[in-house]
Amino acid sequence: MELRQLRYFVETAHRRSITKAASALHIVQPALTAQIKALEDELGIQLLERSARGVSLTVEGEAVLRDAVSVLRAVDDLKRRHGVAARPGRAVKIGIPNGMTRTFAGQLIERARQQCSFDIELIEGMSGHLLEWLKSGRLDIAVLFASQPLRQLEVRRLTADSIDLVGPPGALDAQRPVAFRDLPQYPLILPNAKHGLTRHIQAQARALGVELRHHTTLDSIAEIKHLVSQGVGYTLLAPMVYRPEMEQGLLSATPVRDPALTRELVTATRRLHEAGDDIAQVRALVHEICGARQDPVAAPG
């Protein structure tokens, strides 16, 4: 029996709906149903009765609900009183690709302070490095590109975003998209090949037979944006990465078309860590901030 199963059961019992409980818990309905079924099997009793109107508690379920609430309250009290001392130095470590920290780091820190009884540590890096660190155990969670090789990881879809051409102030008109085949006209400054964004762009270019011009490659997204703002070249970035500078008048941008460039982001954990309530809680917060459910996706090879 896991604390997570008790929390899922209590949430479902209070909301009288699998659908509403799954939404509140940021998990898919089949996963919630499976966890409650596992709890019922372990206890050897039926906890919920299902109907077209939702779910209701059985007599046994009402008794288990009272006990489950008491257990969870006791655990939460224990964490509040002794959580830090009981796990000195332990923090959930989440890796975020360069340039994305501003997008949700502030919200994540604020919500974690309110809802978590443990520390979190944010680590920014190239997506290729984040993947290596996750596999080696240096990270508990990583935000990664879905196009990366994610075998043997537990992967959940996070969000999708466009990739736009970004240039110096006034150089690009958002109402005049640039065709992908015309990108060689622009001297591009891109992250190095360790960055999933660059590999994604290069793969698209190869598929279309387009040879992109590189002025240089850099490890720092911040430095790339600075160089572009100074007129040194152009780059390809998602709006969530360049929006702050564009709002300040430091950059201009326009969509890429024929085909449109997009990227899909996921959260990933090592499967060994999936049972950790603290890791699951932080992951749920990331998805909540991005307005995303935790739908599982097949990990590419």
Side-chain angles (χ1 to χ4, degrees):
M1 183 184 303
E2 300 178 10
L3 289 175
R4 176 173 53 177
Q5 293 172 336
L6 294 180
R7 293 189 190 278
Y8 288 0
F9 166 62
V10 169
E11 188 71 31
T12 303
H14 285 163
R15 294 182 181 274
R16 296 293 196 270
S17 167
I18 293 287
T19 302
K20 292 179 181 178
S23 177
L25 293 164
H26 305 288
I27 62 174
V28 294
Q29 293 182 42
L32 175 58
T33 301
Q35 290 295 328
I36 293 177
K37 180 64 166 58
L39 180 60
E40 289 179 322
D41 290 345
E42 184 169 352
L43 294 175
I45 56 177
Q46 182 178 350
L47 300 174
L48 300 172
E49 291 182 346
R50 285 82 169 171
S51 70
R53 295 188 300 273
V55 296
S56 59
L57 289 165
T58 63
V59 174
E60 294 86 354
E62 290 178 352
V64 172
L65 177 62
R66 289 192 294 270
D67 290 341
V69 169
S70 297
V71 168
L72 293 174
R73 283 176 179 169
V75 170
D76 289 341
D77 288 343
L78 182 65
K79 286 181 178 180
R80 280 193 293 270
R81 290 196 300 266
H82 307 291
V84 175
R87 300 197 308 166
R90 174 67 174 118
V92 174
K93 299 179 180 180
I94 175 170
I96 303 173
N98 283 340
M100 287 185 55
T101 308
R102 289 186 183 182
T103 304
F104 56 80
Q107 294 184 65
L108 179 59
I109 292 171
E110 182 178 353
R111 296 193 189 195
R113 285 173 178 168
Q114 296 172 350
Q115 302 180 34
C116 301
S117 57
F118 46 83
D119 295 334
I120 63 170
E121 181 178 346
L122 299 177
I123 299 174
E124 189 178 40
M126 290 290 180
S127 53
H129 294 149
L130 297 180
L131 179 58
E132 294 174 2
W133 297 340
L134 177 64
K135 290 182 175 180
S136 70
R138 179 179 172 184
L139 295 175
D140 298 306
I141 311 168
V143 176
L144 300 169
F145 294 96
S147 57
Q148 293 177 257
L150 305 176
R151 284 181 298 182
Q152 299 181 341
L153 296 174
E154 193 71 27
V155 181
R156 306 284 179 181
R157 182 176 289 106
L158 183 61
T159 187
D161 208 350
S162 64
I163 301 172
D164 300 333
L165 180 65
V166 181
L172 299 171
D173 183 349
Q175 303 303 316
R176 300 180 64 183
V178 172
F180 193 100
R181 65 179 178 276
D182 293 331
L183 287 179
Q185 300 175 19
Y186 300 87
L188 295 175
I189 307 173
L190 296 176
N192 66 30
K194 277 286 187 181
H195 200 290
L197 174 62
T198 299
R199 291 198 301 272
H200 178 61
I201 293 168
Q202 290 172 337
Q204 185 80 314
R206 286 194 298 270
L208 296 171
V210 175
E211 184 176 353
L212 300 178
R213 292 173 57 201
H214 289 267
H215 182 83
T216 188
T217 58
L218 290 174
D219 283 347
S220 170
I221 297 292
E223 188 61 26
I224 288 175
K225 290 189 290 185
H226 173 71
L227 290 175
V228 171
S229 72
Q230 298 301 305
V232 177
Y234 294 75
T235 192
L236 293 162
L237 295 172
M240 68 169 64
V241 177
Y242 69 73
R243 186 175 293 117
E245 287 80 7
M246 194 170 75
E247 290 176 348
Q248 297 173 38
L250 300 176
L251 296 172
S252 61
T254 193
V256 176
R257 294 287 185 264
D258 302 322
L261 269 177
T262 60
R263 66 172 185 178
E264 184 177 12
L265 291 172
V266 300
T267 58
T269 63
R270 291 188 298 161
R271 288 175 180 168
L272 180 64
H273 282 175
E274 271 300 286
D277 284 345
D278 50 359
I279 295 172
Q281 188 175 358
V282 174
R283 187 183 214 172
L285 288 178
V286 173
H287 282 257
E288 181 180 335
I289 290 167
C290 292
R293 303 192 315 174
Q294 294 195 62
D295 296 335
V297 297

